[in-house]
Amino acid sequence: MMTVLGCIINEHNIWLVGMAAVLCAAGSWVTARLYQRTFSTTGAQRIGWHILTALAAGVAIWCTHFVAMLGFDPGTPIGFDPVLTVVSLLTAVIGATAGFAIAGSRVARFMPALGGAVVGLAIAAMHYTGMMAYRVQGIVSWDMRYLIASIVLSVVLAAAALHMAMRSGRYAANVMAGILAFAIVALHFTGMTAFRVEPALIEGSFTNPEALHALALAVAGMAFVIVVAGMVSYLIDDSSRAETIERLRVMALNDPLTGLPNRANFGERLDHEFDLAKSQGGRLALVGIDLNRFKEINDLRGHSAGDEVLRILGRRMKGALRETEGEFVARTGGDEFAALYRMDNADGLSEFLSRLESACFQPIHIEDYAIMPGASFGVAIFPDDAADKTTLVNNADLAMYRAKSTAGGSACFYEPSMDETVRARRSLAADLREALAGNQLSIHYQVQTSVSTGEVQGYEALLRWNHPRLGPVSPAEFIPLAEENGLILPIGEWVLRTACATAATWDPPHKVAVNLSAVQFGHADLPRLIMEALMESGLPPERLELELTETTIYADKTRALHTVRQIKALGVSIALDDFGTGYSSLDTLRSFPFDRIKIDRSFLAETTPTPQSIAIIRAILALGKSLGIPVLAEGIETQDQLSMLSSEGCDEAQGFLLGRPGPMDQIAAAGQMRAGGGHRV
Ligand code: C2E
Ligand code: CA
Ligand code: CA
């Protein structure tokens, strides 16, 4: 070791040695950076980075050697053999190329170390070829111990360098650069220690030290150019990578349609605001926003109109924010948004809400029509309503659902009783699972009568649930629950089979109307189920009528039409239920082969008909007439209503006045008809 140091200090020009060291360090650092880039690229890019890596390494190796050689002073005149000098340069570049290619071949775990060993051999081969090109006047001898040590050092260190580069840590590239530089320097100076010259001066020959120094500077300059070029291409690539990453980050955090922050972004912001409120003892309001009737807009006006509505509302809400005060709004789902507000006082919050409301409730003009949007707002406040984030989000949701079910635009604030409602709903849904098996379900029948003659036209089957603890539960309450959890399928099947079996026993043989939920209607098995119910009960198909609503059809019109045709092919008739409440589209009426239109009972809500409801009923009756479809009015409770329908020419009616829904035995006892008279199969 001391001999190596002595060789560096005593036999070299220290400035040139320093320059060689700087070159070696810079070249190794760039090599390591470039080499790392090959890991994360593929194809032509990967080959490109490989070539740059090998060039930088080759140049660093050779120039370090050459500049240091020029700084070496053997005490006699020197010269360089041009051919061998070029060969030594090529050895460095080609050897490094081969070494890095092996290291990057990924076929086995030890490949980087093997490639590194090849690079180490290349360094040694370059050095000793270079030494053969070095002509001195004197007798050259080699100390074999140092010579072998230099080769071993070079191979082991270079192998270690490339092996370390595979480590995933932040400093992997720097570690590789350090070891590689050490490999180059160690080989060179250990190799030079092995080199002995016994001067044998020839008269008149000398070297011009200035020319050699100029040559050293020129070589070093060229080397820096190459190394810097490699570094610059790395930096350019790095910054364009950073731009891409930034673009991806923006994309990942924003909703492309509205440009508003997305759900992930909202989550981050909520974390931040929540921590802020917690640490400063402040209050944070979370506002859940759900657009009203958005599905309807999408269905009626098409998805591009729906998108436009979202875009416009997004822009308006963003425009309504005071972002400097920490106000924030994000699109968190299809037609759902969420806002955050740092609360100083309650007035500020209500002013914030009214800004959001006016953004959501102003009409939107698209092409030649206007859409009246609207939204439901649910507010929960930290720490008043929730101690943690999840509860805060849940409670804002609860409040939002409450806002949805109460008409009007105003926001709902979370109240603890809402939890109670949800819990009750959940336990009701659980109880419903037992209802079918536990014989708690039954069917009531309500008569449908001809308005002009008072004759019975048929009976509508209405499901009843007698809850063991709560008593009778309204279908308006439990049918939506059953639709949510899929129980409507077995329950609906039970209603259909039971109603058909019961109606088959009726005398006289009246029709029976059974309600179908959208979930049942969307089920592929429906026509088969209907056929089975008819066959089992022996009920002739023309005595069964199925009631559908417009919402059921709207989910997928083409498919619905197909299903309706299949059902009608069985001979079963179809009624359009609750007409006037949904889309009331003329188009649906015209394109679907309905056998009956049922005017929703809300039009007869008042005991004495108002001019407006008479006008609507009149319009629907005219529509039915022109399409040749009979119309039935629901919810007839008074004689006035019946007389009005009679004078307007309504075909049929149903309601408490004509008969309340009741169990089969009650209807039989009232003498309306006999049960058990029909045939059963
Ligand atoms: P719907 O199909 O419109 O049924 C008519 C509803 O109006 C029944 O309510 C009936 O009791 C009520 N009604 C009849 N006459 C009058 C009247 O004069 N005044 C008033 N105010 N109401 C009257 P119900 O039985 O509570 O059923 C509510 C809804 O539950 C039904 O509305 C229907 O959509 C659904 N439903 C009932 N049974 C079934 C079923 O088996 N399957 C499915 N999918 N839905 C059902
Ligand atoms: Ca109905
Ligand atoms: Ca109805």
Side-chain angles (χ1 to χ4, degrees):
M1 195 67 196
M2 283 318 291
T3 329
V4 177
L5 268 182
C7 160
I8 296 173
I9 295 163
N10 302 329
E11 298 166 19
H12 283 83
N13 172 328
I14 204 70
W15 292 107
L16 286 181
V17 169
M19 191 150 71
V22 171
L23 249 182
C24 178
S28 299
W29 189 82
V30 171
T31 302
R33 294 277 145 182
L34 293 173
Y35 179 55
Q36 272 213 329
R37 200 42 39 108
T38 62
F39 301 163
S40 52
T41 47
T42 52
Q45 269 204 34
R46 189 173 155 84
I47 294 173
W49 288 115
H50 250 305
I51 293 174
L52 274 180
T53 310
L55 269 181
V59 165
I61 294 165
W62 186 79
C63 293
T64 305
H65 160 83
F66 198 76
V67 172
M69 281 317 293
L70 291 170
F72 179 65
D73 179 12
T76 77
I78 59 154
F80 288 94
D81 177 280
V83 176
L84 281 175
T85 303
V86 172
V87 169
S88 72
L89 173 61
L90 289 179
T91 307
V93 174
I94 293 169
T97 309
F100 282 109
I102 292 170
S105 65
R106 294 181 190 169
V107 283
R109 282 189 53 145
F110 59 83
M111 287 321 254
L114 184 66
V118 172
V119 173
L121 276 180
I123 299 173
M126 179 283 310
H127 177 81
Y128 291 107
T129 321
M131 290 312 292
M132 285 195 277
Y134 191 68
R135 295 284 138 85
V136 283
Q137 288 180 12
I139 299 152
V140 172
S141 64
W142 293 90
D143 181 331
M144 287 316 276
R145 288 171 305 158
Y146 283 105
L147 189 136
I148 292 169
S150 75
I151 298 177
V152 170
L153 268 178
S154 167
V155 170
V156 170
L157 286 172
L162 266 67
H163 177 74
M164 292 310 286
M166 300 310 290
R167 294 288 160 91
S168 52
R170 270 178 65 193
Y171 301 109
N174 292 344
V175 171
M176 169 183 163
I179 304 179
L180 185 65
F182 186 48
I184 298 171
V185 170
L187 173 111
H188 186 87
F189 293 105
T190 317
M192 290 315 289
T193 312
F195 184 68
R196 301 279 150 78
V197 184
E198 207 57 57
L201 279 179
I202 296 166
E203 206 56 41
S205 67
F206 63 96
T207 34
N208 175 355
E210 272 162 28
L212 287 184
H213 290 176
L215 186 62
L217 280 176
V219 168
M222 279 313 295
F224 274 116
V225 167
I226 292 174
V227 165
V228 167
M231 193 160 81
V232 167
S233 52
Y234 171 81
L235 290 177
I236 291 175
D237 184 63
D238 215 41
S239 79
S240 73
R241 241 160 227 259
E243 273 168 32
T244 315
I245 289 168
E246 175 61 18
R247 216 172 309 137
L248 285 176
R249 205 184 65 84
V250 170
M251 266 163 66
L253 287 180
N254 288 285
D255 158 50
L257 182 68
T258 58
L260 285 178
N262 63 13
R263 194 181 188 84
N265 197 337
F266 178 76
E268 279 180 18
R269 182 60 175 253
L270 176 61
D271 289 349
H272 170 78
E273 294 288 338
F274 190 86
D275 293 345
L276 196 72
K278 214 171 175 176
S279 63
Q280 300 184 345
R283 294 162 83 202
L284 176 69
L286 194 156
V287 188
I289 306 166
D290 192 275
L291 300 189
N292 298 339
R293 299 181 304 119
F294 181 71
K295 187 172 159 14
E296 200 177 309
I297 296 172
N298 246 342
D299 289 343
L300 281 180
R301 304 290 188 186
H303 286 273
S304 61
D307 285 355
E308 186 62 18
V309 167
L310 289 173
R311 250 195 300 269
I312 291 175
L313 290 182
R315 201 183 312 137
R316 282 189 195 163
M317 278 192 263
K318 194 168 174 59
L321 293 184
R322 295 188 193 132
E323 281 168 274
T324 47
E325 291 169 31
E327 297 177 1
F328 184 81
V329 71
R331 181 177 174 213
T332 50
D335 63 345
E336 287 174 24
F337 298 82
L340 292 173
Y341 181 81
R342 290 178 199 156
M343 271 177 81
D344 297 329
N345 52 49
D347 286 353
L349 177 61
S350 67
E351 187 268 340
F352 175 63
L353 287 172
S354 72
R355 266 186 278 140
L356 287 181
E357 271 172 6
S358 65
C360 292
F361 279 87
Q362 244 143 80
I364 291 177
H365 297 274
I366 299 177
E367 288 162 15
D368 55 348
Y369 54 86
I371 289 175
M372 290 299 292
S376 306
F377 299 81
V379 188
I381 296 164
F382 167 83
D384 315 33
D385 300 330
D388 61 88
K389 276 174 284 192
T390 321
T391 317
L392 188 67
V393 172
N394 283 345
N395 290 351
D397 266 352
L398 286 183
M400 201 253 303
Y401 287 126
R402 173 65 60 85
K404 246 198 161 26
S405 57
T406 49
S410 70
C412 258
F413 285 73
Y414 169 80
E415 288 161 21
S417 67
M418 290 174 184
D419 284 332
E420 206 33 67
T421 317
V422 171
R423 216 168 297 133
R425 246 176 92 86
R426 272 198 210 122
S427 86
L428 201 61
D431 293 347
L432 191 55
R433 281 182 201 283
E434 267 126 59
L436 192 56
N439 268 333
Q440 297 162 17
L441 298 180
S442 65
I443 299 178
H444 283 190
Y445 295 89
Q446 186 179 32
V447 71
Q448 300 177 327
T449 326
S450 157
V451 171
S452 50
T453 65
E455 241 179 287
V456 172
Q457 298 293 313
Y459 287 84
E460 178 176 2
L462 293 162
L463 185 56
R464 294 292 175 263
W465 179 16
N466 195 10
H467 190 284
R469 197 165 30 86
L470 304 171
V473 182
S474 160
E477 196 174 332
F478 73 80
I479 296 269
L481 282 182
E483 286 176 331
E484 267 170 39
N485 63 16
L487 272 180
I488 192 67
L489 288 175
I491 291 179
E493 180 175 337
W494 178 83
V495 172
L496 185 67
R497 288 182 195 273
T498 313
C500 286
T502 309
T505 68
W506 288 346
D507 178 25
H510 293 303
K511 287 186 76 161
V512 65
V514 175
N515 292 286
L516 280 190
S517 125
V519 181
Q520 281 174 284
F521 191 72
H523 205 70
D525 249 8
L526 185 64
R528 192 190 51 81
L529 173 66
I530 296 168
M531 196 155 73
E532 265 181 36
L534 290 172
M535 304 248 291
E536 262 171 32
S537 61
L539 183 76
E542 58 281 0
R543 283 180 55 203
L544 177 63
E545 184 158 274
L546 297 175
E547 297 193 358
L548 300 179
T549 62
E550 269 187 294
T551 355
T552 303
I553 289 161
Y554 251 106
D556 181 349
K557 260 183 147 178
T558 335
R559 209 185 126 169
L561 192 57
H562 181 69
T563 313
V564 164
R565 289 209 176 109
Q566 276 181 302
I567 295 172
K568 291 211 57 164
L570 297 171
V572 173
S573 54
I574 301 225
L576 180 58
D577 206 353
D578 302 346
F579 189 73
T581 53
Y583 309 94
S584 307
S585 120
L586 194 55
D587 187 45
T588 324
L589 276 182
R590 225 181 291 150
S591 51
F592 279 75
F594 295 116
D595 300 284
R596 191 186 307 272
I597 299 170
K598 298 184 76 175
I599 303 181
D600 189 71
R601 63 176 182 272
S602 58
F603 296 104
L604 289 134
E606 300 88 5
T607 32
T608 31
T610 61
Q612 285 90 335
S613 58
I614 294 176
I616 291 173
I617 291 165
R618 215 175 259 162
I620 299 177
L621 287 172
L623 207 60
K625 286 242 154 46
S626 73
L627 295 166
I629 307 174
V631 177
L632 180 150
E634 290 186 299
I636 310 306
E637 295 181 353
T638 65
Q639 195 56 51
D640 278 0
Q641 291 169 335
L642 191 63
S643 320
M644 184 272 288
L645 289 174
S646 168
S647 63
E648 294 299 333
C650 181
D651 307 277
E652 289 152 343
Q654 180 180 349
F656 294 167
L657 179 72
L658 304 159
R660 283 182 181 266
M664 200 53 233
D665 45 6
Q666 199 176 40
I667 288 171
Q672 288 180 28
M673 65 170 164
R674 278 174 291 142
H679 64 282
R680 289 208 63 173
V681 178

